[in-house]
Amino acid sequence: MLFVLTLAGCGGRQSAAPQIPSANAPQEELSDFAYYEYLPETSPAGQSQQTPQEDPAVKAAREAAEREAQLRQLVNDMSLEEKVGQLFFVNCPTDAAKKIAQYHLGGVLLFTDDYKNALGGWLSREDFAAKLQSYQDAAAADTGIPLFIGSDEEGGTVTRASRNPNLFAEKSKSPQELYAEGGMGAVLNDTMQKNSTLRALGINVNFAPVCDVSTNRNDFMFARSFGLDAEQTADYVARVVLAMGDADMGSVLKHFPGYGNNADTHTGIAIDERPIERFRQQDFLPFRAGIAAGGKVTPMVLVSHNIVNCMDAELPASLSPAVHQILRDELGFDGVVLTDDLAMDAVKAYANDGSVAVLALLAGNDMIVTADFETQIPQVINAVMDGRISEERVNLACLRVLRAKAERFAAPLSLDGGD
């Protein structure tokens, strides 16, 4: 940028067409006008001085520390009701927008009926996206904290969104089908396309991939698994987690510690008799791979309701502190841990007073998946108030949820809701 300084000479003469002197012109050659060109300062050696650049690793560490401090302050600023509400990832109620604000919910999980209108017809793409946006608007007006919106879109036997022909051309195929048709390339192409479509609709967490190792067609979990050995399943999981991250989609590794050949826990208790060495050598491998892959979006881990005798012979994994300690300490996972659906028959009998969510939080879960949130949330709040659950436990779980949301939504979080 040129700045011109005009100096009046003797008698006030002015030049009609002043010339900018060359950089080498001696000062005495200047007439009544001087022109100063402001250039970057140079060092004695003639090199331009530049602002020292912060080391990228130092900068990243500093920014991470700043985010962590902001999130911890946010937890401190939240009410107990707001913190507990963030710990519930609930089956989407019919009056979802109202309930999201009333209970300060952390997430809603969509099932097939949520893709339909009140008359049972499939929602159009526009209407479905508007419906999900109304959920986010309710969360924004309440606490200002974005909402997790999840769906089970594993492909094959467990699909929700792709059943709606207005959203997908066909129902999602299972990973096994895709792999048989076109190898890992077909699996990853489907992962990208499917999850990009879900993300565009407003879904931000897909409850996939299945990490369970199953090679026996007679196993309950076989059709939902990758169907190959532990090493191949681990490779599949790592690649899918990365692809989901590239599609800006959150992933859920399930069902820790590994389902094996156990029975269906939707209808009763399943007892796993396998030794711990089997889990370490096989079942843990896909979970380790998914956790290590991380990618752009750190995955969550969902814990099953199986009773795994070598870890805890008394409690289902989802309610077992011992199982969660293995996940945290042995596998080194510090992200969000979810329960499997607490409405399943396999866990109902373990809470004599009905407060199964209290047991789940005491076990080490960070988010509770349930349809019974209107009963369970008040029970958790009461358990904190009477000392059965420490507020530190709630704070840590809430902090993990907020960390995941800060990463998931790539934005700072703050309590800037309506009321």
Side-chain angles (χ1 to χ4, degrees):
M1 182 180 295
L2 295 177
F3 290 86
V4 179
L5 177 61
T6 304
L7 302 175
C10 297
R13 292 187 299 105
Q14 295 186 1
S15 171
Q19 298 295 314
I20 298 176
S22 70
N24 297 321
Q27 184 65 34
E28 56 269 18
E29 290 183 6
L30 296 178
S31 62
D32 301 311
F33 303 91
Y35 298 83
Y36 298 92
E37 184 176 6
Y38 287 85
L39 299 173
E41 294 182 0
T42 58
S43 66
Q47 299 297 320
S48 296
Q49 293 180 347
Q50 299 192 9
T51 303
Q53 295 296 312
E54 187 175 10
D55 181 89
V58 173
K59 180 181 179 181
R62 176 179 56 78
E63 291 176 346
E66 291 172 354
R67 285 194 301 271
E68 180 72 5
Q70 291 168 354
L71 293 174
R72 288 178 179 272
Q73 184 60 53
L74 176 57
V75 172
N76 290 336
D77 293 341
M78 296 170 71
S79 68
L80 176 61
E81 290 77 12
E82 288 170 336
K83 288 186 284 193
V84 171
Q86 286 297 306
L87 310 186
F88 280 77
F89 207 136
V90 309
N91 297 18
C92 193
T94 53
D95 50 353
K98 176 183 176 182
K99 299 299 184 184
I100 287 164
Q102 180 180 353
Y103 290 95
H104 321 298
L105 297 175
V108 293
L109 180 57
L110 308 174
F111 288 85
T112 303
D113 286 346
D114 298 306
Y115 293 89
K116 298 179 179 180
N117 59 32
L119 300 177
W122 293 111
L123 288 167
S124 69
R125 177 180 293 269
E126 293 75 15
D127 288 343
F128 180 72
K131 179 180 181 179
L132 298 195
Q133 185 58 52
S134 73
Y135 299 168
Q136 291 290 6
D137 291 343
D142 174 36
T143 62
I145 298 173
L147 186 73
F148 282 140
I149 300 179
S151 190
D152 280 298
E153 198 65 33
E154 300 171 8
T157 60
V158 179
T159 57
R160 313 291 187 211
S162 65
R163 293 177 183 272
N164 182 340
N166 297 325
L167 307 182
F168 287 81
E170 61 179 356
K171 188 167 74 72
S172 295
K173 296 179 180 180
S174 73
Q176 287 189 36
E177 291 177 277
L178 291 164
Y179 189 74
E181 290 177 3
M184 190 60 71
V187 172
L188 297 179
N189 284 338
D190 177 79
T191 298
M192 282 294 298
Q193 292 169 7
K194 174 172 62 182
N195 286 284
S196 295
T197 299
L198 294 174
R199 190 69 187 91
L201 292 167
I203 294 167
N204 49 53
V205 179
N206 184 0
F207 277 54
V210 171
C211 299
D212 304 296
V213 179
S214 176
T215 57
N216 187 335
R217 293 184 176 275
N218 296 321
D219 292 347
F220 165 71
M221 194 56 69
F222 176 78
R224 295 171 61 185
S225 74
F226 193 49
L228 299 176
D229 64 27
E231 288 77 9
Q232 290 170 295
T233 301
D235 179 66
Y236 154 76
V237 167
R239 290 168 180 261
V240 166
V241 166
L242 288 171
M244 290 176 70
D246 287 341
D248 196 27
M249 179 62 64
S251 55
V252 177
L253 310 178
K254 60 186 188 183
H255 308 77
F256 189 81
Y259 212 92
N261 61 354
N262 291 287
D264 183 2
T265 52
H266 290 78
T267 56
I269 296 172
I271 299 178
D272 195 324
E273 303 282 4
R274 292 175 295 165
I276 189 65
E277 290 76 15
R278 173 70 178 271
F279 287 93
R280 288 173 175 154
Q281 293 168 7
Q282 296 188 34
D283 294 75
F284 287 171
L285 298 187
F287 292 96
R288 288 185 183 278
I291 292 168
K296 296 180 180 178
V297 183
T298 302
M300 303 180 187
V301 174
L302 183 146
V303 183
S304 77
H305 296 321
N306 295 337
I307 294 179
V308 185
N309 277 344
C310 66
M311 301 179 195
D312 188 335
E314 303 296 327
L315 293 170
S318 57
L319 305 181
S320 168
V323 171
H324 286 76
Q325 185 174 4
I326 289 172
L327 175 58
R328 297 293 190 195
D329 295 345
E330 189 167 334
L331 274 71
F333 183 65
D334 193 38
V336 173
V337 177
L338 300 144
T339 68
D340 208 341
D341 191 342
L342 292 187
M344 294 182 184
D345 291 343
V347 294
K348 287 182 178 179
Y350 287 87
N352 294 329
D353 60 355
S355 57
V356 67
V358 171
L359 295 180
L361 287 172
L362 288 173
N365 294 284
D366 302 304
M367 296 195 81
I368 308 301
V369 178
T370 183
D372 189 27
F373 65 94
E374 294 182 80
T375 299
Q376 297 295 323
I377 286 178
Q379 289 176 336
V380 170
I381 292 171
N382 289 337
V384 176
M385 296 180 70
D386 67 23
R388 283 178 290 157
I389 300 177
S390 70
E391 191 156 3
E392 288 75 18
R393 169 84 271 271
V394 171
N395 288 348
L396 177 57
C398 186
L399 179 60
R400 288 194 179 112
V401 172
L402 296 184
R403 283 174 185 156
K405 288 188 173 185
E407 178 187 70
R408 177 81 293 277
F409 298 102
L413 304 182
S414 63
L415 286 173
D416 57 359
D419 297 332

